[in-house]
Amino acid sequence: MRSLASQTLARAGIEDAEVDADLLIGHVLGQSRGQVQAAAIMGTALTAADASAIAALVDRRAKREPLQHITGRAPFRSLELNVGPGVFVPRPETEGVAQIAIDALRSMADPEPVGVDLGTGSGAIALAMATEVPHARVFACENSPDAFPWTSRNFAEVGAGNATLVFADLAEAFPELNGTVAVVVSNPPYIPADAIPRDPEVRLFDPAHALYGGPDGLDVVRLVSQTGLRLLRAGGVLAIEHGELQGAEIRALLDADGWRATATHRDLTTRDRTTTALRP
């Protein structure tokens, strides 16, 4: 079954077909990937019901439905998040963006540094900050009615007492925090409106609200810049995730808005991924 599932997914153009096959089988059987591989080596037989359930999930994945939508879970750093239709599935490259925000929070001398995640989606970055910097206070906002139930579920499941979630537009969120925040981070929609994502999983299943940022892709980035200036105290850090070709344009935008020390950082694939700046 494992070999057949892998072959089916490979024919459908799934890049990591064997990994996805193992994870789908494991999802049905309640097993880890290692357990699935061990069972395949030992020739452990499946029940007819399990084989049918696996075949149905493999068929869904072969139609390019995201693996995380099928399993309902997405790993992010040390977290396992609930995801599904309506919420952006967190990507591995965003783990590096979270690391930048976490390192910035840890570097602050404040006894309880304040971090804000603007447009939190599944809550991935905010919950990573809250759980990995437990002495910080973390605030997150999301304004999508489709995404917010997933966000709320993740905040409730993780149960970080130092994390606060609100339903609000990022341009107006948290006026009570003006001038007190140490770190503002955002993974905003940044794809230009006329750009079509290559991957069917993104093009067909990720919510447009989380993908497209206006004609040049930077409409929400401009809002993040202005909100960051409002929220951050002097010396506070701004970190924005973006596309690999947008670093120079975002640095110019932030420089024009009065930010200091703008810099763009690469992800693990050596692509430009995050631009940071300091509040003057």
Side-chain angles (χ1 to χ4, degrees), residues 82-213:
N82 299 285
V83 295
V87 69
F88 185 77
V89 175
R91 306 296 202 263
E93 54 266 31
T94 302
E95 295 190 9
V97 182
Q99 186 67 59
I100 289 172
I102 287 165
D103 288 345
L105 268 182
R106 287 174 174 163
S107 73
M108 299 296 173
D110 320 38
E112 290 185 325
V114 177
V116 172
D117 181 9
L118 298 174
T120 193
S122 65
I125 296 177
L127 290 170
M129 288 196 295
T131 54
E132 296 185 46
V133 194
H135 68 283
R137 291 186 296 133
V138 177
F139 297 81
C141 65
E142 177 54 52
N143 71 350
S144 166
D146 296 320
F148 195 75
W150 294 104
T151 326
S152 300
R153 185 175 171 186
N154 287 323
F155 269 69
E157 186 173 292
V158 173
N162 59 335
T164 300
L165 172 67
V166 301
F167 184 86
D169 189 274
L170 63 84
E172 295 139 14
F174 308 119
E176 71 279 10
L177 298 178
N178 285 353
T180 67
V181 176
V183 178
V184 168
V185 62
S186 184
N187 178 14
Y190 53 72
I191 298 175
D194 61 355
I196 300 174
R198 293 185 299 268
D199 293 339
E201 290 86 347
V202 178
R203 185 172 67 249
L204 301 176
F205 292 95
D206 271 330
H209 183 80
L211 295 178
Y212 300 104

Side-chain angles (χ1 to χ4, degrees), residues 19-36:
V19 175
D20 283 20
D22 288 347
L23 294 175
L24 290 172
I25 293 168
H27 179 66
V28 171
L29 301 180
Q31 295 179 347
S32 68
R33 190 181 177 211
Q35 290 173 315
V36 170

